[in-house]
Amino acid sequence: FSPAAQTTYSDMAAVSKTAATVLCQPLPFATVALAGVGTAANLVALSSSSLNFGLVPCGNTAPAQTLTVTNNSSNQLAFTFSLAGGAASPYTVSGPASVPAGGMGTVTVTPKVVPGTSSTAPDGFADTLSITAIGGPVNEAHTVALHQTAQGAVLSLNPTSLSFNTGLGGSQTKSFTVNNAGNLAAPYSLALGGANPSSFTVTPTSGTASGGGSVSESATFNAPLLGGSRSATLTLSTSAGRCAPLPAPLPLSGTTN
């Protein structure tokens, strides 16, 4: 059995007698199943089986990392490199076309920029690098796991609007939350604007939403003595790095009865 690649082989061998052979009974079988698996000859050694680029802020690029391929064979080996994600992979790769017997070569993996709007799911920018050595008894394949996670805040307001109704000169308070679906704590502030900001109050006007957490807030409508309707908007801002746009201002509307 002499495999040409790392794969599974199967075949059938026919069994028959020669013309001069005399059998006392028929052959018990006419064919024999053959099976074999081509395995790596361990001609190539990698300095690492994985590269971790860590947490990378959205809109930024992680530094390139390298690994070494060592040719332990007595022949020059050619190399090919490919990424499972193809053109859509969050990485590019470069490496030597060949490595001499007993020599070493450097493979460089360069991350692409993490988009400004990205998922912050763990290992959301993972891929697999395949390295194939050609020129030995079999083509020897190796894989390297590539890990990377986008980092940033993903803020939202819930609900997306608040309506109030109370008597003349009265007040009504409703709650809302500042949510952070990202993986980076976000200090934030809330500012009233719009047509009638003085008719509303917000408590507190600032806070910090931890990654994956939420903060409860209160908005109060202070009804005018002369009646009528009032409106305002509540705008959220943050100094934290983000992986999503800020939510639209929260509309506030109040009427008297």
Side-chain angles (χ1 to χ4, degrees), residues 42-62:
N42 296 319
L43 301 179
V44 174
L46 302 184
S47 60
S48 179
S49 61
S50 67
L51 295 176
N52 192 338
F53 296 87
L55 291 168
V56 182
C58 287
N60 288 264
T61 307

Side-chain angles (χ1 to χ4, degrees), residues 58-173:
C58 287
N60 288 264
T61 307
Q65 294 189 30
T66 62
L67 60 91
T68 301
V69 292
T70 301
N71 180 358
N72 294 320
S73 76
S74 57
N75 300 307
Q76 176 172 288
L77 297 177
F79 284 86
T80 62
F81 308 92
S82 63
L83 292 160
S89 172
Y91 308 92
T92 60
V93 61
S94 62
S98 62
V99 175
M104 295 186 298
T106 299
V107 181
T108 302
V109 180
T110 304
K112 298 176 183 177
V113 63
V114 175
T117 299
S118 297
S119 167
T120 58
D123 229 10
F125 288 80
D127 205 349
T128 301
L129 167 62
S130 295
I131 301 175
T132 303
I134 304 167
V138 299
N139 294 339
E140 189 170 304
H142 297 265
T143 58
V144 179
L146 308 177
H147 304 282
Q148 185 177 205
T149 300
Q151 184 184 44
V154 179
L155 298 175
S156 63
L157 297 171
N158 185 48
T160 56
S161 65
L162 289 174
S163 297
F164 303 84
N165 184 274
T166 188
L168 295 176
S171 65
Q172 184 181 30
T173 299

Side-chain angles (χ1 to χ4, degrees), residues 194-209:
N196 311 111
S198 62
S199 295
F200 300 86
T201 56
V202 175
T203 305
T205 57
S206 63
T208 298

Side-chain angles (χ1 to χ4, degrees), residues 80 108 135 137 180 190 236:
T80 62
T108 302
N180 184 1
L190 297 164
L236 172 71

